[in-house]
Amino acid sequence: MTTTPDSVAPAAADGLEPITENTFVAHAAGNDDPPPPIKGLRRLMFWIVPANFGIFSIWGSSLFLLLPQQISEEFGDANKVANLAIASTIGAFAAMIAQPVAGQVSDRTRSRFGRRAPWIMIGAFAGALSLVGMAFATSFVGLVIAATLMQVCYNFAQGPLSAVMPDRVPTQRRGTFSALTGIGTMLGALGGSILGAMFFHNIAAGYITFAITSVVLLGLFVAFNPDYSSRDIAVEPFKFLDFLKTFWVNPVKYPDFFWAFTGRLLLYTGYFVVSGYQLFLLTDYFHVTQPETIIPLLSLINLVGIIISTVISGPLSDRFGRRKPFVFASAAVVALGFLLPWLWQDVTAWVIMTAIAGFGFGMFQAVDTAIMSEVLPSARSFAKDLGVVNIAATLPQTVAPAVAGIIVLTFGYAGLFPVAIVLGILGAFAVWPIKSIR
């Protein structure tokens, strides 16, 4: 029998309203347990992996492989670097804005399918159409427009999908759920790049294949994990000033949120300052003549390290009821990994570092999403606030290459490693003041 919102929990012993979807949205914060999923938590945990794969395979294939190849093939090698920089910058900026806006729209949505499902599917279908537009773009301007729309649309799916954890997962299981989310993310990113390589010489077919895959996987997630109706939840009046505040959460009023955002920003920036320059480090620092022959192996080593540590760290953090120790351990392990190529300028050191740093980064990723879900100010704005938090993950991937470029020009490639170590350690210490987690 299907569980209804009014039957998800008995009346509280102290005479307060029972915890239902409506009362939860009105009164809860990120560290409160939500009503149980209608079809059960195990089913939700299973389907979150392919759902994230469906989105992140787009980023791993279309954005980082097929788009650069298309730009090179159709608009010439001479200007490919500048053209890719233009397309990537415009798309990244639009995506960074889109997710908090999508989150706010999702938070305010009232439907019998809940607040998240409509936008997950709208984003998936619109993103798929944008991929088709990329497949048949005949001008650079048209391609940039289609690629930007693609990123905006899939962020309209990704934002509400990220809010599923605080919406439906009890706090004591969020480490495990966070680990599964991370696995889906990494499998999507690597699997997308591997599958995307199969369409290297048939880009249009690749775009269409990934478009269909994303719609199917996200559609199955929504179908097998129905949400409570949100039609009876009161809608706050829309105010344009409040809309402009979408990107701002008061650090004085919500210090835990501020410190979690800062920690994530520093840790991600430190990691991507080094990993984002992998190609140039291999060619110019380690003097590898054919880096394309070793990069797939490095990606696989990195993925294995991340998955192993994620699978271990997420459930352990649930068992011990602690998140902070895993963040500090992550910073220490990644720092140890970055020390190797700094002190030992040999490609072997880079291979070993890839395994160690991947393992360390996986420890952080396993608890990162759980931490973010537990510092959210209000259930009324889970998706919007997570969209703001996700800027701390997406912004480093956009600005890290520029930061790294300045470091390389000033101190050489060896300067990347101590800067990354310091940023990672500072990011771990930024998590220390958070009071809502241990």
Side-chain angles (χ1 to χ4, degrees):
M1 183 176 68
T2 302
T3 307
T4 63
D6 292 330
S7 63
V8 296
D14 55 8
L16 298 177
E17 290 182 273
I19 298 298
T20 68
E21 179 69 10
N22 293 346
T23 59
F24 177 77
V25 171
H27 304 298
N31 57 350
D32 291 316
D33 284 338
I38 292 175
K39 295 295 185 180
L41 185 59
R42 287 186 179 180
R43 179 182 291 194
L44 186 67
M45 285 187 162
F46 172 82
W47 281 104
I48 197 63
V49 175
N52 276 282
F53 179 93
I55 292 178
F56 281 88
S57 63
I58 300 295
W59 308 141
S61 61
S62 303
L63 197 58
F64 298 122
L65 185 64
L66 297 181
L67 177 61
Q69 175 65 4
Q70 183 178 14
I71 288 175
S72 177
E73 275 189 0
E74 298 186 10
F75 306 108
D77 284 339
N79 299 314
K80 65 181 182 180
V81 174
N83 286 339
L84 180 59
I86 292 170
S88 299
T89 301
I90 293 174
F93 181 75
M96 188 171 63
I97 295 175
Q99 198 166 127
V101 174
Q104 186 173 85
V105 172
S106 173
D107 289 329
R108 296 176 60 84
T109 296
R110 303 295 178 258
S111 77
R112 71 185 185 92
F113 302 106
R115 296 186 292 169
R116 315 304 179 198
W119 292 104
I120 291 174
M121 293 314 303
I122 290 172
F125 278 112
L129 290 175
S130 300
L131 281 172
V132 174
M134 292 173 66
F136 297 103
T138 57
S139 69
F140 178 68
V141 173
L143 178 61
V144 171
I145 292 173
T148 301
L149 287 174
M150 181 271 290
Q151 293 186 65
V152 169
C153 292
Y154 279 112
N155 272 282
F156 261 79
Q158 185 177 331
L161 182 65
S162 67
V164 166
M165 179 188 291
D167 275 353
R168 309 189 205 179
V169 181
T171 56
Q172 69 270 22
R173 300 299 302 278
R174 289 185 188 175
T176 302
F177 193 85
S178 178
L180 292 169
T181 300
I183 290 171
T185 297
M186 295 310 300
L187 286 176
L190 180 64
S193 64
I194 293 173
L195 295 173
M198 297 170 60
F199 297 99
F200 207 61
H201 300 293
N202 195 348
I203 295 172
Y207 284 142
I208 294 172
T209 298
F210 285 104
I212 295 172
T213 301
S214 65
V215 170
V216 169
L217 291 178
L218 290 169
L220 289 172
F221 173 84
V222 169
F224 282 99
N225 298 278
D227 198 4
Y228 298 105
S229 169
S230 61
R231 288 184 297 187
D232 295 330
I233 302 174
V235 182
E236 297 179 0
F238 178 81
K239 297 178 181 179
F240 186 69
L241 182 60
D242 291 340
F243 175 76
L244 294 179
K245 292 179 180 178
T246 291
F247 303 95
W248 171 255
V249 177
N250 191 325
V252 176
K253 189 175 182 180
Y254 304 109
D256 283 2
F257 186 92
F258 167 77
W259 286 116
F261 180 95
T262 303
R264 176 186 259 199
L265 181 67
L266 290 169
L267 282 157
Y268 267 82
T269 302
Y271 185 77
F272 284 105
V273 157
V274 172
S275 64
Y277 257 60
Q278 174 174 258
L279 177 61
F280 292 165
L281 281 164
L282 288 173
T283 57
D284 299 344
Y285 185 71
F286 298 112
H287 307 294
V288 176
T289 56
Q290 293 182 306
E292 70 276 8
T293 62
I294 193 175
I295 286 177
L297 175 62
L298 291 170
S299 299
L300 185 60
I301 291 172
N302 185 254
L303 178 68
V304 170
I306 289 176
I307 289 180
I308 291 174
S309 60
T310 298
V311 169
I312 295 172
S313 302
L316 276 180
S317 75
D318 283 342
R319 183 174 181 179
F320 297 136
R322 295 180 179 272
R323 316 291 188 201
K324 291 179 183 178
F326 292 90
V327 177
F328 279 93
S330 168
V333 172
V334 172
L336 176 64
F338 286 165
L339 274 174
L340 277 175
W342 184 27
L343 301 176
W344 179 21
Q345 192 176 336
D346 186 88
V347 70
T348 304
W350 184 261
V351 174
I352 299 172
M353 181 281 295
T354 298
I356 295 174
F359 188 88
F361 189 69
M363 295 174 69
F364 169 68
Q365 188 166 314
V367 299
D368 172 53
T369 310
I371 290 173
M372 296 305 163
S373 73
E374 293 175 31
V375 300
L376 300 176
S378 172
R380 289 189 293 268
S381 58
F382 276 166
K384 183 268 288 184
D385 293 335
L386 279 171
V388 174
V389 165
N390 284 338
I391 292 176
T394 56
L395 185 61
Q397 298 176 58
T398 304
V399 302
V403 174
I406 294 172
I407 295 170
V408 171
L409 291 174
T410 307
F411 303 104
Y413 286 101
L416 294 174
F417 302 109
V419 171
I421 290 170
V422 171
L423 287 173
I425 293 173
L426 289 176
F429 276 100
V431 175
W432 184 260
I434 299 176
K435 296 180 180 178
S436 58
I437 63 169
R438 295 191 298 165

